[in-house]
Amino acid sequence: MGGGGEGYGEKQHLGLKYANRHGLIAGATGTGKTVTLQIMAESFSNAGVPVFMSDVKGDLSGLANAGSEGAKLHEPFMSRAHTIGFDDYIYESFPVTFWDLFGEQGHPIRTTLAEMGPLLISRLLELTEAQEGIVNIAFRVADEEGMPLLDLKDFQALLVWLGENRDKLSLRYGNVSVSSIGAIQRRLLVLENQGGDQMFGEPALSLSDMISIDETGRGRVNILASDTLMGAPRLYSTFLLWLLSELFEELPEVGNPDKPVMVFFFDEAHLLFDGAPKVLVDKVEQVARLIRSKGVGVYFITQNPDDVPEDILGQLGNRVQHALRAFTARDKKALKLAAETYRENPRFDIEEAIREVGVGEAVTSFLEKKGVPGVAERTLIRPPSSQLGPITKAERAAVIAASHIAGKYEAKLDRHSAFEILTERAATAAKEAEDAERLEEEAEAAEAEYKAARRYSGKRVSRSTSRSSRKTESFGDALTKSVIKELKGTTGRRIIRGILGGFFKGR
């Protein structure tokens, strides 16, 4: 890490065995936090430990290039290396993988709504408790109905379906308010306008692409481009918290390894806790407490130590405290509290040292044998081996093109999920309703036609004397009708009686 003691000649080390006990890098703007972050990433990478870090200002991209003797700070760096006894100091580049939620300055990095879960989604959308309840109902219904929630349009379609079926769902899950659904839809629209829709979808991030080493055995340095992302601070902090949660859920227990499985740097950590509900802070505390046994070290970077809740701050064993400027009463209080968290050194006053250390210098304390905090020391931070400052766009593009995951995440997939399922259901229901309406119309038309055609209530009687009948009647038919008519008369009845009488009389 650098040199401490008299004349800064005593080497100060952060032991790899205790690097998963988490840490804090704090200090005012311009005091050297970014360089400290850079040299820690270099050291972890050389030790074969993968690193994840967010690049808020764009400066950390210099890790991809080696430092240069022609650089402006070459002489000061060499002088500092000599002062602290950094005899094997050389310029070198590191295996960097660039990531970007928006896919502009690195490989796209995505997750699905289902993987993020209702708690973090509610945090991202800044929802009320009642609205968060609707989100939980939506996720439960999606699971029960077999509708994958992958991207924002899946969630938006599901919310519409919830509103249409709210009466039935309210009996089972509690009140499903249309106003709450409308509020969530508006927050989703804001998120979409901020570019948050790029964060959700497939292919989702595979952690194995981050937790890897290169062909030389060095850990990969994963850098998230965050200069644009910082325009949506809630999106930034929620994404990093999701990534930390994924590490916690997917990695196996490893106990106390000789070196971390991965080191996670959480820059601008105050954004995570500003306005966060207690349930979320408790979640972060739980993850920080338990993820150590997964071999992951988490380092929070912020200006004031009091930006981090006390319960979490107490778990950060490795400390690098750059200068704090005490201009206000709050600053003085924060300075005093920061000094009280260090193990005293009889050679200097810690509070005074924190106020006085220069740029590139810090009060440090690292865990020693059996995890005991080391004595506070004024440390001159070692110079970086990689380039100080950002690389060019062309150099970044070349690194991205040569990456071991080039082309894997660039094309976004849109497989069959909740949006398509609900669209198909709506189309089927619409067709069934259309068919039923058509059949009803046909039945009504037939009945109307039948009623319009009826003129008499009785049977229709045909006229025997019609002109057509006379025309078509034959001579034989006329003779037969005449005979039958005569038989029906008096003469006919006499003839029949005589014939029948003759028959019976003869018997």
Side-chain angles (χ1 to χ4, degrees):
M1 289 295 301
E6 296 293 340
Y8 302 110
E10 298 177 9
K11 295 181 179 181
Q12 303 297 309
H13 296 93
L14 193 165
L16 283 173
K17 187 174 182 180
Y18 301 107
N20 65 330
R21 303 291 181 94
H22 311 321
L24 174 72
I25 303 172
T29 301
T31 56
K33 296 193 302 295
T34 300
V35 175
T36 298
L37 192 57
Q38 184 170 343
I39 65 105
M40 290 180 72
E42 292 177 356
S43 297
F44 280 123
S45 178
N46 279 332
V49 178
V51 170
F52 176 87
M53 59 207 315
S54 55
D55 191 4
V56 175
K57 296 179 290 186
D59 295 342
L60 295 174
S61 61
L63 281 157
N65 282 355
S68 170
E69 294 182 0
K72 181 180 178 180
L73 294 175
H74 170 67
E75 290 299 331
F77 282 175
M78 298 305 294
S79 175
R80 177 172 293 201
H82 177 72
T83 299
I84 65 177
F86 192 12
D87 300 326
D88 53 352
Y89 176 54
I90 59 171
Y91 291 130
E92 59 180 331
S93 62
F94 293 84
V96 169
T97 304
F98 290 112
W99 301 90
D100 186 1
L101 252 66
F102 307 114
E104 297 173 354
Q105 302 182 69
H107 303 290
I109 184 169
R110 305 183 191 90
T111 183
T112 64
L113 280 160
E115 289 178 344
M116 181 161 280
L119 176 61
L120 290 182
I121 291 294
S122 300
R123 155 75 173 175
L124 178 60
L125 299 177
E126 302 181 71
L127 302 182
T128 65
E129 185 176 351
Q131 294 161 1
E132 184 179 347
I134 300 295
V135 174
N136 278 280
I137 292 174
F139 273 74
R140 173 65 68 84
V141 170
D143 288 339
E144 293 178 350
E145 296 287 330
M147 296 185 291
L149 292 176
L150 304 180
D151 50 27
L152 285 190
K153 72 176 187 297
D154 288 332
F155 194 36
Q156 290 165 336
L158 181 58
L159 288 173
V160 171
W161 186 85
L162 288 180
E164 293 173 346
N165 297 272
R166 60 186 180 277
D167 293 337
K168 182 169 58 177
L169 294 171
S170 294
L171 294 174
R172 181 173 182 182
Y173 300 107
N175 184 40
V176 178
S177 168
V178 175
S179 60
S180 293
I181 292 176
I184 298 171
Q185 292 281 34
R186 289 191 294 273
R187 296 304 305 170
L188 286 173
L189 180 61
V190 172
L191 177 63
E192 192 171 4
N193 290 338
Q194 292 175 343
D197 57 323
Q198 300 295 322
M199 176 180 172
F200 299 105
E202 292 184 318
L205 173 67
S206 174
L207 290 180
S208 61
D209 289 329
M210 282 190 173
I211 309 175
S212 62
I213 58 175
D214 71 352
E215 58 278 0
T216 65
R218 295 185 300 173
R220 296 194 182 277
V221 180
N222 300 276
I223 299 178
L224 176 68
S226 303
D227 48 351
T228 303
L229 184 58
M230 287 300 294
R234 189 59 62 95
L235 178 61
Y236 167 81
S237 60
T238 303
F239 170 76
L240 292 188
L241 182 55
W242 164 78
L243 185 56
L244 192 60
S245 300
E246 285 294 294
L247 290 170
F248 172 69
E249 292 177 5
E250 292 193 16
L251 292 178
E253 296 278 344
V254 293
N256 293 308
D258 293 333
K259 63 181 181 182
V261 174
M262 187 180 193
V263 171
F264 188 100
F265 290 99
F266 205 128
D267 202 358
E268 300 293 340
H270 67 280
L271 296 175
L272 175 61
F273 304 106
D274 287 348
K278 186 178 184 303
V279 63
L280 184 62
V281 175
D282 291 343
K283 173 77 170 177
V284 177
E285 181 187 353
Q286 179 190 30
V287 171
R289 189 183 302 278
L290 299 178
I291 203 171
R292 178 185 65 81
S293 61
K294 305 289 184 86
V296 177
V298 182
Y299 288 75
F300 293 94
I301 300 95
T302 188
Q303 293 193 16
N304 285 308
D306 63 352
D307 291 335
V308 181
E310 187 174 352
D311 291 339
I312 297 174
L313 190 63
Q315 300 179 48
L316 311 182
N318 299 295
R319 307 286 184 91
V320 179
Q321 179 64 63
H322 289 274
L324 285 177
R325 311 305 182 195
F327 297 114
T328 66
R330 181 184 180 278
D331 294 339
K332 292 178 180 179
K333 183 179 179 182
L335 176 59
K336 184 176 181 180
L337 290 174
E340 290 175 352
T341 60
Y342 285 85
R343 184 177 166 187
E344 293 184 0
N345 189 324
R347 289 193 296 105
F348 61 89
D349 180 82
I350 296 177
E351 184 175 341
E352 184 178 340
I354 293 176
R355 190 186 302 113
E356 294 179 351
V357 289
V359 176
E361 188 180 5
V363 175
T364 63
S365 175
F366 305 114
L367 296 178
E368 299 176 345
K369 292 181 179 180
K370 298 182 180 180
V372 176
V375 174
E377 192 64 71
R378 290 186 65 155
T379 302
L380 194 63
I381 302 299
R382 77 164 179 85
S385 297
S386 56
Q387 176 180 314
L388 187 65
I391 61 177
T392 65
K393 290 184 178 181
E395 290 171 332
R396 180 187 286 266
V399 172
I400 295 171
S403 171
H404 68 295
I405 56 168
K408 181 175 181 179
Y409 296 100
E410 274 64 23
K412 191 172 184 179
L413 303 178
D414 188 13
R415 66 183 176 94
H416 198 262
S417 53
F419 175 80
E420 288 77 16
I421 292 173
L422 291 173
T423 300
E424 291 169 359
R425 288 186 182 181
T428 301
K431 187 177 184 306
E432 291 176 352
E434 183 180 347
D435 292 343
E437 184 178 358
R438 178 174 53 78
L439 292 174
E440 184 177 354
E441 290 177 352
E442 290 177 354
E444 290 177 353
E447 184 177 356
E449 183 179 359
Y450 172 73
K451 289 181 177 180
R454 294 182 62 189
R455 297 185 180 181
Y456 305 100
S457 58
K459 293 182 180 179
R460 182 172 296 178
V461 180
S462 58
R463 296 176 62 185
S464 60
T465 59
S466 63
R467 188 175 298 176
S468 60
S469 297
R470 286 195 300 270
K471 287 182 179 179
T472 58
E473 191 175 45
S474 64
F475 174 76
D477 292 337
L479 180 61
T480 302
K481 286 182 178 180
S482 178
V483 172
I484 292 174
K485 183 177 180 182
E486 187 65 29
L487 290 175
K488 287 181 178 180
T490 305
T491 306
R493 285 196 296 273
R494 285 199 298 266
I495 293 173
I496 291 173
R497 281 200 300 270
I499 293 172
L500 294 176
F503 282 149
F504 289 106
K505 187 176 180 180
R507 287 183 183 180

